[in-house]
Amino acid sequence: MRFSTPSGGFAGGPYQNPHLLPTYAAVCALAIVGKPGEEGGWEQIDRVKLYDFFLSLKQPDGSFVVCQDGEVDMRGCYCLLCVATLLDILTPELVEGLAEYIASCQTYEGGFASACYYLPSGARGRLGEAHGGYTYCALASLFLLRPLVPGVFGLIDLPRLVRWATGMQGLEIEGEGFRGRTNKLVDGCYAWWVGGMEPLLRELVREQQRTGKGEEEWEEWDDAVFNQEGIQHYTLSIAQVAQGGLRDKPGKPPDAYHTACNLAGLATAQHRVVRSGEVRTVMRGKWRVAGNPQLEDREGRREAYLASCEWAEDEGAEVYLGGEENRVNAVHPLYNLTITSVRQMMGHFYGQEPVKSSVGPDE
């Protein structure tokens, strides 16, 4: 909390300006180690000032700069949406035009670029380079926007996105790791940035199959987006180093960033996390009306809560390469936090009772 600023946003360090990325990091850290109550961190977040800080960064085209006088960046849009959803400050006013802006960042390859580039005429041009990190941020952002923009996935080319994403996994000779861009080398961090899209893409394709959309595109779909055991192999046998920590690739030193992303990708490859209708039904039945009528009537509020908290681990579908001693906890595909951490923080700020993290009613 020492890095919280008078504006409501968080800075990356002492004497620095508030910025969307450290704001996301700070709130996620508080989801893990914080709690309600005095000095627990959660009550000390000034959500009113934070909301105003977010609005101050909004641009006319619906996007956001990452800080005052900063650049527009897909990562910033994602970080803002994560924090706004976790803390119950997501509103139509905040996200107006953002879905259309994100969709305009999809490139001819199918992945997403860091930002939208405007032509001299003022029209939006799909001129950026598809990148694993920006694509994950774009896809997760569209899921987070869905409670307020129900038809959001009609704005993008899903078959092209799936085709691009599956092409990012390396061959067996490359250890079956992921690259972040076409014709680049594999890198352990993309186990999360690309591999972490697996639950999201799987859910979207299954939706299309259920509704009969694009039948020819999905007729040979076997419900496997990536080679999950290949991801585990790269992480455990290639990215992991003997002295501890994980790395980009052989020849590179381990570091905190690559350790975190490798392990998040490993979690996604080991566990099958799905949107559970059972969990959604239980949560909807337990929904408590807010004491403030204005809060309760806010568009999309309950749906934002349900859409994030309905994700659950499909028990019995896990696969641990090398045995259960290699197990790590499952992560939420939208936040890169444990499902329990997401539900506890959102339960607090939305005034709801969390349910357990696996599929099935909370008995």
Side-chain angles (χ1 to χ4, degrees):
M1 292 303 300
R2 287 186 299 170
F3 297 143
S4 178
T5 68
S7 72
F10 287 80
Y15 310 112
Q16 296 181 19
N17 293 327
H19 191 290
L20 289 178
L21 274 63
T23 297
Y24 161 79
V27 171
C28 286
L30 288 171
I32 297 169
V33 303
K35 59 183 179 181
E38 188 176 352
E39 298 184 359
W42 292 4
E43 309 293 350
Q44 288 70 50
I45 300 173
D46 191 328
R47 293 189 293 161
V48 173
K49 286 187 176 180
L50 183 57
Y51 183 80
D52 289 341
F53 170 63
F54 285 168
L55 280 180
S56 74
L57 303 178
K58 191 167 181 63
Q59 302 302 295
D61 61 5
S63 64
F64 293 87
V65 292
V66 294
C67 61
Q68 292 296 338
D69 301 320
E71 74 280 7
V72 172
D73 188 302
M74 188 66 70
R75 295 170 298 179
C77 298
Y78 164 73
C79 290
L80 180 146
L81 287 169
C82 281
V83 172
T85 305
L86 287 170
L87 302 185
D88 189 19
I89 55 174
L90 187 71
T91 68
E93 174 191 35
L94 184 64
V95 304
E96 183 179 1
L98 181 56
E100 292 79 8
Y101 175 82
I102 291 173
S104 73
C105 297
Q106 188 174 24
T107 74
Y108 73 94
E109 289 186 275
F112 289 76
S114 62
C116 175
Y117 297 88
Y118 289 89
L119 301 174
S121 64
R124 294 175 179 177
R126 299 175 183 269
L127 305 177
E129 181 180 20
H131 183 282
Y134 298 126
T135 300
Y136 168 81
C137 289
L139 181 60
S141 293
L142 294 175
F143 267 92
L144 293 169
L145 284 167
R146 202 177 201 181
L148 295 178
V149 190
V152 67
F153 286 105
L155 300 174
I156 67 169
D157 187 333
L158 179 61
R160 187 168 293 195
L161 170 59
V162 172
R163 190 176 303 115
W164 176 85
T166 54
M168 291 298 103
Q169 185 162 20
L171 302 174
E172 186 174 351
I173 196 172
E174 299 172 285
E176 295 184 277
F178 286 97
R179 60 181 55 83
R181 291 176 288 166
T182 302
N183 293 328
K184 297 293 184 179
L185 298 176
V186 296
D187 180 335
C189 72
Y190 294 110
W192 169 249
W193 295 122
V194 180
M197 290 190 283
E198 191 272 340
L200 307 179
L201 294 174
R202 176 170 23 86
E203 289 293 329
L204 290 176
V205 172
R206 290 176 67 184
E207 281 183 16
Q208 296 237 325
Q209 290 177 317
R210 286 195 297 267
T211 58
K213 295 180 180 178
E215 291 184 13
E216 293 183 2
E217 293 283 356
W218 314 117
E219 62 182 357
E220 297 183 5
W221 180 261
D222 63 1
D223 210 33
V225 184
F226 303 120
N227 182 342
Q228 301 299 92
E229 290 194 10
I231 304 170
Q232 295 187 52
H233 165 72
Y234 187 91
T235 303
L236 296 170
S237 302
I238 299 175
Q240 188 171 208
V241 297
Q243 67 267 35
L246 293 100
R247 60 190 173 184
D248 166 348
K249 61 178 66 68
K252 302 283 188 177
D255 58 66
Y257 166 75
H258 283 91
T259 297
C261 290
N262 268 294
L263 291 177
L266 177 64
T268 303
Q270 289 182 343
H271 303 276
R272 187 180 180 89
V273 177
V274 299
R275 291 164 60 204
S276 168
E278 293 176 279
V279 172
R280 172 179 271 264
T281 299
V282 171
M283 290 190 301
R284 187 189 293 116
K286 291 185 175 182
W287 179 262
R288 293 199 291 249
V289 176
N292 182 347
Q294 290 182 328
L295 191 65
E296 187 61 33
D297 291 341
R298 197 176 72 217
E299 181 182 347
R301 180 174 181 264
R302 183 175 73 165
E303 182 57 30
Y305 174 80
L306 294 175
S308 281
C309 295
E310 69 183 349
W311 290 90
E313 184 179 352
D314 186 357
E315 293 182 340
E318 62 276 358
V319 176
Y320 305 124
L321 187 66
E324 195 166 348
E325 62 270 21
N326 290 328
R327 179 190 182 277
V328 295
N329 287 334
V331 296
H332 195 296
L334 297 178
Y335 299 97
N336 196 7
L337 294 166
T338 66
I339 296 170
T340 299
S341 293
V342 171
R343 290 185 181 171
Q344 288 178 341
M345 176 170 260
M346 292 187 70
H348 171 73
F349 285 108
Y350 287 73
Q352 305 300 317
E353 177 187 349
V355 298
K356 67 178 184 177
S357 59
S358 56
V359 170
D362 186 28
E363 300 295 346

